[in-house]
Amino acid sequence: MRFVHSGRTHADRRRFLVAAPTGAAVLFLLAAALPGSPGQLRWESWVGLLVAVANIVLGLVAKPRWSWVPPFAAASLAAALALALAGSTSDRDADMYLVWFPPLCAYVALVSAPGAVLVIALITGALVAGVAAGGDLGRTAGPMVSAAVCTIVAGAVVKGLFRAGLLQSHADPLTHLANRAGTLERGEGAVAEIQAEGREAILVLVDINRFHEINDALGHVGGDRLLQIIARMLSGLRPIPAFVGRAGGDEFALVFRGMPVPSTVVAAARRPGASLPVPTAAETKRRRVLGLRVLRQIQGPFQVCGVDVEVDASVGIAVAPRDSATMGGLLTCADSALLRAKRVGESVGLWDPGITGVRPEEIALYAQLRSAITRGELLLFYQPLQSAHSGGIVGAEALLRWRHPTRGLLAPGVFLPVAERSPLIADLTRWVLDEALRQCAAWAAEGLHLPVSVNLSARMLVLDDLPQVVAGSLAAHGLASDVLTLEITESALVTQPARAATMLSELRTQGVSLSLDDFGTGYSSMEILKTLPFDEVKIDRGFVTDARGSLPDAAIVRSVLDLGHRLGLRVVGEGIEDERTLAMMIDLGCDLLQGEAISVPLPPAKVSELLRSRAAAVRPSAPHATLPASERAPAECTGAVSGDGAVGDGAVGEEAGGGEGQTEAGRPVPPPTGDEAGAASAGRGEERGASARAGRRIGGRPTSSG
């Protein structure tokens, strides 16, 4: 006898197992205590009350897989009624107990079809035994037969209606297999039954590759016909699966009986928190062979709408109890294995804990992150950007942190990947934008001018109100648009490039600076630089970090610097982690520097202290205009290229506030040529190196003597 389980089903089952005996307890209590009742103060009534209360307690503590509870409850309550029936002294008394036998057949809804027959037989047998024990069978034969027939009919009707409703809600009308809900329900029972036998339950998740192409070529009628053919083939596989269901769309789930569970796995499963042993090579081979056998049997060709169709499929495999003990957990593992197999071009994927997928803790983290915004648990740190020309701090990048109530301060790498897969990333970006500008205004109120950079998610680039959101936040804090730089990664531009270009153009028109982050990691960096209105490029930290020990990476960095300057863009080197890389980036002509060699990300108060200390140490002789103006390179130095490829500060020339040598439309003036260029470059190189190295360590970091 088998019962299928899920959280909701178990809750409904428990309610029934408590409600039915509660009704019986009320009946027996009234019979025992109500004056004039046929069972008043009779010991049979008190026994019936005791049996009913015991069944209430059993219903409360019953586990999902205790399949014996419903038939036991039905049989014990029927026996209590039979005992009371046997003790009745009149036809009226007997009739009162006889009418309670048919309602007990409601228990058949909780058991399988064979179990339902057993329950109906037990109830009917108890009814007949109670009448026979009363001693006057001839007098009560008519009511007994009527009650027995009603009991049998009631049981059959209840089971038939329940089964029809269950099949309707759990069956896929196209393939006549279990649908997604049915796969979880019935698959759970199959997995539990196989594990109860001491064997491994192997879930094989089959996905039809490029199914949309079949739909496009043959229409939905052809696609549906192919799914029906595959469903029929899967049901007749060898080895015979214990369960076949349609997991959704073009995915099918199959459960197979595996080998006996290894003793090492059983021992590890009994110890909470213990790590399971790695599958042996033989176990891995057996599972891979099973996956290939499934694929071979469904590959076709099949005749669909007069066309021979070959099926190309992939499978993901997970095993209970090693990977998970439940159908839901196995589906999650198998789906992750399937995705990885497709990503690497394989047809069979086996789950292992190293596969990155959505875990239950990530779902919980997502729910907590949604409320973290309103609870004020998010905060921003700021990593300073240093001018390679003067060594001064010219800006800061806002970096998100989460002060989790139980896990402490979390870095963005812990929670942002979860947010980026959902619309929540747009809410986070709005919060970061507003908080960064609020802090920028707070610094300005203290007399500290520090522009901020904010990372923009891909989801924000397709929102029609993005320019209004940015303009509204700037206006709310009374800030000019030139204090804000929005950083966009190349990957954020490839999904809807036309729409993203429109958004960026509107933002650029408002005066907001735009930075292309992680430059050089994509496939269309050159095209993006040519067509989109960027002011700045940030060389990906991977190139910067490796440039000191890799000639190809150093060549890439030098080329990006040269390209950026010739296009009139600022170039930022991020990921500068040591003094040697800092010195190299300065010598190569990088405009702005960022990394732990400059400063670690700091909370706002520490940034304020840093700005005040450096302002006291270095007093500029003349104010300039923007980003901040005090760190602007002289206009006459813009655009010069030295003989060794180092480029001057022409990239920041677009931000000059005015005066002689101001560039037009943010572009640098043409570079000088010949000896003039070499002399000018040499002079500026000495000036740049001295001033930048003098301020290369900030935020309390010691200056290296090398």
Side-chain angles (χ1 to χ4, degrees), residues 328-494:
L330 289 175
L331 280 171
T332 300
C333 295
D335 190 51
S336 297
L338 176 64
L339 291 176
R340 185 178 68 170
K342 286 188 169 186
R343 190 163 53 245
V344 300
E346 296 180 352
S347 57
V348 178
L350 303 179
W351 162 258
D352 68 71
I355 297 178
T356 302
V358 179
R359 307 290 180 85
E361 55 268 26
E362 290 185 345
I363 298 175
L365 194 68
Y366 174 81
Q368 296 165 3
L369 183 57
R370 179 174 290 279
S371 57
I373 301 175
T374 56
R375 290 200 300 257
E377 296 172 0
L378 301 179
L379 65 158
L380 292 181
F381 278 39
Y382 298 86
Q383 188 168 35
L385 281 82
Q386 177 177 300
S387 168
H389 172 72
S390 66
I393 304 170
V394 296
E397 180 180 358
L399 302 172
L400 184 61
R401 300 289 187 270
W402 179 7
R403 197 176 298 281
H404 194 277
T406 59
R407 299 173 60 181
L409 191 64
L410 299 182
V414 176
F415 58 89
L416 277 187
V418 177
E420 286 172 349
R421 295 193 291 265
S422 73
L424 182 59
I425 189 64
D427 297 333
L428 284 177
T429 304
R430 287 190 179 95
W431 183 89
V432 171
L433 175 66
D434 191 70
E435 174 62 19
L437 293 177
R438 184 202 64 78
Q439 183 58 55
C440 188
W443 281 325
E446 299 173 12
L448 302 173
H449 177 69
L450 187 68
V452 291
S453 299
V454 173
N455 290 280
L456 204 60
S457 72
R459 287 181 180 266
M460 293 295 291
L461 287 177
V462 296
L463 296 181
D464 293 332
D465 64 342
L466 175 60
Q468 289 73 32
V469 169
V470 174
S473 190
L474 286 167
H477 298 292
L479 295 171
S481 57
D482 63 354
V483 302
L484 175 64
T485 296
L486 295 176
E487 297 188 8
I488 304 100
T489 61
E490 183 179 332
S491 60
L493 302 170
V494 298

Side-chain angles (χ1 to χ4, degrees), residues 521-538:
T521 58
Y523 296 101
S524 54
S525 301
M526 300 300 112
E527 183 67 22
I528 287 174
L529 277 185
K530 184 179 73 172
T531 58
L532 296 180
F534 284 101
D535 304 278
E536 174 184 285
V537 292
K538 299 186 76 171

Side-chain angles (χ1 to χ4, degrees), residues 220-245:
H220 289 286
V221 173
D224 290 347
R225 178 59 184 152
L226 179 61
L227 291 177
Q228 291 172 336
I229 294 173
I230 293 174
R232 188 172 65 251
M233 296 296 298
L234 291 174
S235 299
L237 286 177
R238 294 293 182 271
I240 300 174
F243 169 80
V244 181

Side-chain angles (χ1 to χ4, degrees), residues 15 63 103 122 208 297 320 386 413 511 526 529 606 638 650 675:
R15 282 194 290 268
K63 301 297 182 183
L122 289 172
I208 309 303
Q297 293 179 68
Q386 177 177 300
M526 300 300 112
L529 277 185
K606 294 291 185 182
T638 60
D675 296 338

Side-chain angles (χ1 to χ4, degrees), residues 83-107:
L83 189 63
L85 180 61
S88 60
T89 57
S90 65
D91 294 348
R92 185 176 63 87
D93 297 348
D95 291 344
M96 184 189 74
Y97 292 113
L98 283 173
V99 298
W100 274 90
F101 280 91
L104 289 179
C105 290
Y107 278 102

